[in-house]
Amino acid sequence: MNDFSKLNRPDTLWSGVAEQIQGLIASGTLTPGMKLTEAYLSKALGVSRVPVREALRHLLSTGLLVSEPYKGVRVRHFDHAHLAQLYAYRAGLERMAFTILWPLRTSTLTDELARRHQVLSDAIARRDSEGAIIAELHLHGWCHEASGNEFLLADWERILPHLQCYFVLHQRAHQRPGPSREAHDRYLALATGSSLQDMLAHIDEHMHQGMNKVLELVE
């Protein structure tokens, strides 16, 4: 559990609570359809209701939680339609980000991508499932940051909670503790290469890998 005693500012406290709730959803501790109350989360996380209330409001705005009349706040069901839409949206964002950043690439930017790739590779080698998910999201966030487009980056950050849950499902579907090392080696090579069209084609292929298995798992 996170050390919330280090979180002094109210805005930092609620964001830390939101991250922890998000992690519990991604790990399956908080299951789809489960009802969440301020009282339950406050006791479970050892914090007051105020940051819990703000965290729930934030997670409702991201769509990770849903509020239904007479039923309260519940964890969203990751059904076939939701995951298919998430896949299509994420692929579109990444394709757009690479199209924008391609002429803007510098050695500083590509060195940062290589660094993130190494962090992911190390997590895969350690069989660190949670660390690999964080590292993979950080690696894919590079193109949105490097594009310099604030709208793309905002959209990427908005779907991050959903992607974290998707990556957990992806690992379960493939029965492995992390993503494919080979696929990300190729991702790095193409992202730092000379052909934008090859990179865009790989994004579609890379995103689609395992999607059908995940959908079968959900169904």
Side-chain angles (χ1 to χ4, degrees), residues 22-124:
Q22 176 183 320
L24 293 172
I25 294 172
S27 69
T29 303
L30 301 179
T31 57
M34 181 177 179
K35 184 176 181 179
L36 302 181
T37 66
E38 291 180 15
Y40 167 76
L41 292 171
S42 177
K43 182 178 180 180
L45 302 179
V47 296
S48 70
R49 291 195 182 191
V50 174
V52 169
R53 186 178 305 125
E54 293 300 317
L56 290 177
R57 184 178 293 117
H58 168 71
L59 293 174
L60 281 166
S61 72
T62 68
L64 198 59
L65 302 179
V66 294
S67 179
E68 302 175 0
Y70 309 110
K71 293 184 179 180
V73 176
R74 296 179 181 273
V75 179
R76 184 188 189 110
H77 282 282
F78 284 81
D79 56 19
H80 185 288
H82 179 72
L83 289 172
Q85 290 173 17
L86 178 63
Y87 155 73
Y89 192 64
R90 179 195 168 197
L93 288 179
E94 197 147 333
R95 286 175 59 89
M96 186 181 299
F98 267 99
T99 300
I100 295 172
L101 74 83
W102 203 255
L104 306 176
R105 291 177 303 164
T106 63
S107 58
T108 300
L109 284 176
T110 54
D111 285 349
E112 172 59 17
L113 179 61
R115 187 192 69 78
R116 297 187 189 194
H117 175 267
Q118 186 59 54
V119 172
L120 173 59
S121 299
D122 291 344
I124 294 173

